[in-house]
């Protein structure tokens, strides 16, 4: 019998958010793999848990994952915890999960706290469709590419940011996406939890005088349908109606169908296109 990898969600602030199932798993596992053992030992001590612990972090994720998989292949049960929240969300847990799958080691997730979901529910922005970006890439070229992609994103976006980078990131978001609604969340589930609904311009103004403190979750409004539609119309208007018609006819549309589509793209009536082409 092989062991099991348990992905154990731990509190993001308030220790009372720890689930009974996670507590039982941490007590009965053969080993706890922690992103930062110095942080996790405080959690274990609080709940009087004495299971052996090993480090599993960004800088040893491949080598240590191999070691943990070998232990589980021998029948040992491993509980994976991140510093706070759900493992594999913006941490190296995904590498261990993938390696377990490749070696037929069972993996199960014990749900619980997650900063991105907590912030999304508090944001007041649409939660029907959203995307999670985590921390923006450090590499300048990759960061620029991600920001360019986000320019057309219509879903609500959730990002993480450290306090010493917050102002710069807000400036980049404003420069690339324009002024959008944003909710800034910090100290989630803690005594001094802060939820600040504003705009990018309002946030920039606020942090001119206020020093950012603590880790932030940024929940950012996506591009509205009206804004997308306006941009589509402007892009088609840059093309002549003749070229616009030819574009659809090359795709196999007959003239009548192409005319309807051109009118729809430009936000005008079909008769307007017909009159222009037959003047």
């Amino acid at each position: 019998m092989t062991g099991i990898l348990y992905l154990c969600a731990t509190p993001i602030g308030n220790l009372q958010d720890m689930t009974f199932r996670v507590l039982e798993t941490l007590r009965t596992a053969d080993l706890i793999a922690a992103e930062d053992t110095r942080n996790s030992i405080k959690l274990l001590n609080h709940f009087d848990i004495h299971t052996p612990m090993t480090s599993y972090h960004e800088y040893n994720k491949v080598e240590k994952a191999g070691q943990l998989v070998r232990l589980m292949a021998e029948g040992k049960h491993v509980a994976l915890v991140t510093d706070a929240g759900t493992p594999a969300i913006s941490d190296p847990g995904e590498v261990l999960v993938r390696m377990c799958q490749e070696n037929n080691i069972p993996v199960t997730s014990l749900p619980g706290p997650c900063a991105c979901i907590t912030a999304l529910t508090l944001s007041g922005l649409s939660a029907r469709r959203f995307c999670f970006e985590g921390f923006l890439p450090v590499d300048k070229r990759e960061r620029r590419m991600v920001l360019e992609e986000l320019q057309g994103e219509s879903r609500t976006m959730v990002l993480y940011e450290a306090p010493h980078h917050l102002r710069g990131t807000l400036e980049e978001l404003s420069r690339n996406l324009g002024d959008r609604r944003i909710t800034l969340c910090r100290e989630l589930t803690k005594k001094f939890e802060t939820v600040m609904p504003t705009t990018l311009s309002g946030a920039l103004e606020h942090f001119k005088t206020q020093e950012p403190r603590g880790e932030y979750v940024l929940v950012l409004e996506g591009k509205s349908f009206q804004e997308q539609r306006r941009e589509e119309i402007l892009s088609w208007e840059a093309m002549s109606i003749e070229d616009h018609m030819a574009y659809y006819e090359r795709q196999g549309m007959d003239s009548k169908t192409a005319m309807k589509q051109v009118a729809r793209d430009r936000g005008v009536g079909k008769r307007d296109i017909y009159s222009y082409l037959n003047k």
Side-chain angles (χ1 to χ4, degrees):
M1 293 288 291
T2 61
I4 298 173
L5 174 65
Y6 295 92
L7 307 178
C8 298
T10 55
I12 57 177
N14 194 319
L15 293 180
Q16 294 183 63
D17 291 335
M18 180 73 96
T19 69
F20 291 118
R21 187 178 172 208
V22 168
L23 285 173
E24 180 63 20
T25 299
L26 294 178
R27 288 193 176 102
T28 58
D30 295 296
L31 183 66
I32 295 171
E35 184 179 10
D36 190 329
T37 55
R38 296 167 300 180
N39 288 334
S40 296
I41 193 63
K42 299 173 187 176
L43 182 73
L44 300 187
N45 286 342
H46 178 84
F47 290 106
D48 196 28
I49 296 171
H50 305 285
T51 304
M53 187 165 46
T54 187
S55 64
Y56 176 76
H57 49 71
E58 182 66 28
Y59 302 104
N60 71 354
K61 61 185 178 184
V62 176
E63 179 186 358
K64 182 55 78 68
Q67 296 174 17
L68 293 172
V69 165
R70 286 192 289 274
L71 286 174
M72 286 182 277
E74 295 169 2
K76 302 294 185 183
H77 296 311
V78 175
L80 179 66
V81 296
T82 185
D83 278 353
T86 300
I89 303 294
S90 277
D91 89 348
E94 61 190 43
V95 175
L96 180 56
V97 171
R98 183 169 61 249
M99 201 171 290
C100 283
Q101 292 171 343
E102 292 169 352
N103 288 273
N104 297 314
I105 304 293
V107 180
T108 188
S109 182
L110 283 59
C114 182
C116 66
I117 298 299
T118 303
L120 179 66
T121 60
L122 289 170
S123 70
L125 298 174
S126 174
R128 188 179 71 84
R129 297 173 66 245
F130 68 94
C131 63
F132 175 65
E133 286 295 328
F135 290 95
L136 291 174
V138 175
D139 179 80
K140 289 183 179 179
R141 181 173 177 274
E142 190 178 351
R143 190 181 184 94
R144 186 171 61 252
M145 289 172 62
V146 170
L147 287 168
E148 287 174 359
E149 287 181 4
L150 294 181
Q151 288 175 5
E153 181 58 70
S154 61
R155 295 170 295 179
T156 299
M157 295 160 272
V158 184
L159 302 92
Y160 290 163
E161 192 51 277
H164 53 288
H165 292 310
L166 182 65
R167 288 190 182 109
T169 295
L170 291 173
E171 287 171 359
E172 284 184 291
L173 290 171
S174 179
R175 192 162 54 247
N176 284 273
L177 279 65
D179 200 17
R180 304 272 186 93
R181 288 195 298 163
I182 186 173
T183 299
L184 297 93
C185 302
R186 60 179 289 276
E187 297 292 289
L188 288 170
T189 76
K190 298 179 184 178
K191 182 178 180 180
F192 298 106
E193 175 179 279
T194 303
V195 178
M196 178 183 166
T198 181
T199 59
L200 280 170
S201 60
L204 284 168
E205 187 65 28
H206 175 80
F207 287 110
K208 281 181 180 178
T209 56
Q210 299 295 317
E211 190 67 27
R213 297 183 184 279
E215 299 294 319
Y216 283 82
V217 184
L218 313 178
V219 187
L220 185 62
E221 181 181 45
K223 180 177 286 188
S224 69
F225 172 78
Q226 291 81 3
E227 189 179 357
Q228 286 181 302
R229 184 65 182 140
R230 232 178 2 253
E231 289 182 0
E232 287 172 0
I233 291 171
L234 287 173
S235 67
W236 286 121
E237 286 178 347
M239 180 186 292
S240 71
I241 291 178
E242 291 84 356
D243 288 343
H244 200 164
M245 284 286 294
Y247 171 80
Y248 285 120
E249 288 171 343
R250 283 196 299 270
Q251 296 180 35
M253 288 187 186
D254 58 47
S255 295
K256 186 177 180 181
T257 305
M259 199 178 298
K260 286 181 180 178
Q261 188 59 51
V262 168
R264 189 178 297 119
D265 289 344
R266 291 171 176 263
V268 299
K270 186 180 69 173
R271 287 183 178 179
D272 295 324
I273 304 299
Y274 179 84
S275 297
Y276 175 86
L277 294 172
N278 291 277
K279 63 184 179 182

